[in-house]
Amino acid sequence: MPPRQRSTGATIIAVANQKGGVAKTTSVASLGAAFAELGKRVLLVDLDAQACLTFSLGVDPDAVEESVHHVLLGQAELSDVIVTCEDGVDLVPSSIDLAGTEAVLLGRPAREYVLQSALADVRKDYDVILLDCSPSLGVLTLNALTAAQGLIIPMPCEMLSHRGVGQLLDTVADVKKFLNKKLKVIGILPTLFDGRSNHAQEVLSDVGERYGLPVLSPPIPRTVRFAEAPAVGRSILATSRSSKGARAYREVAKSLVPTL
């Protein structure tokens, strides 16, 4: 009998950009729901002290007793803080406590590997784990990049949004050199796209060539539907199923399935 192959478990994907307002949290919630629709077992991890992902999925951050903060400080097991959400995904919630986590981790050895270690116990239970990073290049984002096999960079189709992507890619290069040789940039995800704007079209055509990276398709359109969804604690795939935004995220998720 041939030896049994050991499953490596979930593909871990970080969604990061140190610039705020780039639809990072929206992308994590929407891609997570889209993967779940495709039959994948999905875990989302909120690594932002603002807890926007947690709130967007119908969980009150102020009512969370144990969060990713407690997991990273070794005060709780990750499996014990997971919450099941209506969109068919599981969530590791955040809370304002996470604002002080980086300061504590800074004094600890191997601090960049804490999240990787915490995720190891649940990887076998999921097909994909999406990490919603905070808008910074601090210890928590380094933890995400160290734990992940892939990185998606959401970027609005505006020229000013180019600023900072180069800095993020420099950080990625350092992570690959010193912390995680397996990290791969899956691509740039164009967000807040206005197809009527010549400027948006020009930025879209320029971005892949400028950084030598794949550009995920289709671009995610700008729509008020994204702002409405968090108010009811669901993703746009549930609140506006046939909208252009929901359809775009479904197509992007479907294109990513072969990488999982």
Side-chain angles (χ1 to χ4, degrees):
M1 177 181 288
R4 184 181 176 189
Q5 288 189 326
R6 187 178 175 215
S7 171
T8 56
T11 299
I12 303 175
I13 300 174
V15 181
N17 188 329
Q18 74 269 32
K19 190 175 185 299
V22 300
K24 188 162 31 63
T25 295
T26 296
S27 295
V28 170
S30 303
L31 286 174
F35 283 133
E37 283 187 355
L38 292 168
K40 301 299 180 185
R41 300 169 300 165
V42 182
L43 177 66
L44 310 182
V45 182
D46 191 346
L47 290 170
D48 190 345
Q50 296 177 72
C52 292
L53 178 64
T54 300
F55 177 81
S56 297
L57 293 177
V59 179
D60 181 1
D62 295 330
V64 171
E65 294 185 7
E66 290 186 317
S67 69
V68 70
H69 161 79
H70 300 90
V71 173
L72 294 174
L73 296 189
Q75 298 168 1
E77 295 296 324
L78 190 138
S79 57
D80 292 335
V81 307
I82 290 174
V83 178
T84 298
C85 302
E86 287 191 53
D87 276 6
V89 302
D90 284 353
L91 170 72
V92 177
S94 180
S95 66
I96 192 61
D97 293 331
L98 196 62
T101 306
E102 289 207 1
V104 178
L105 289 179
L106 278 172
R108 297 194 175 181
R111 55 185 173 269
E112 295 91 356
Y113 295 95
V114 174
L115 179 61
Q116 181 187 77
S117 177
L119 289 172
D121 291 337
V122 300
R123 276 188 72 184
K124 65 183 183 303
D125 300 324
Y126 297 96
D127 299 306
V128 59
I129 298 174
L130 297 177
L131 310 176
D132 184 22
C133 300
S134 61
S136 75
L137 292 178
V139 173
L140 294 180
T141 299
L142 285 178
N143 261 269
L145 296 176
T146 301
Q149 288 88 55
L151 167 66
I152 293 174
I153 305 171
M155 198 195 83
C157 296
E158 302 165 354
M159 194 55 71
L160 284 177
S161 296
H162 278 289
R163 297 169 62 97
V165 173
Q167 184 183 357
L168 173 58
L169 293 176
D170 287 343
T171 300
V172 169
D174 287 341
V175 168
K176 290 178 71 170
K177 185 175 181 181
F178 299 111
L179 300 169
N180 179 9
K181 290 181 171 59
K182 295 181 179 179
L183 180 63
K184 176 185 177 184
V185 180
I186 294 171
I188 289 175
L189 177 62
T191 59
L192 306 175
F193 180 70
D194 183 354
R196 302 166 299 176
S197 162
N198 289 333
H199 176 68
Q201 297 280 4
E202 290 166 4
V203 171
L204 185 60
S205 62
D206 174 66
V207 65
E209 185 177 335
R210 178 180 296 234
Y211 299 110
L213 294 172
V215 177
L216 302 179
S217 181
I220 308 301
R222 184 189 296 271
T223 168
V224 69
R225 301 298 181 202
F226 287 123
E228 296 169 351
V232 294
R234 302 294 297 275
S235 76
I236 191 174
L237 273 73
T239 61
S240 188
R241 291 190 56 80
S242 60
S243 66
K244 290 181 179 178
R247 291 202 304 268
Y249 274 117
R250 284 193 186 97
E251 288 186 48
V252 171
K254 197 173 294 185
S255 73
L256 293 174
V257 166
T259 69
L260 301 181

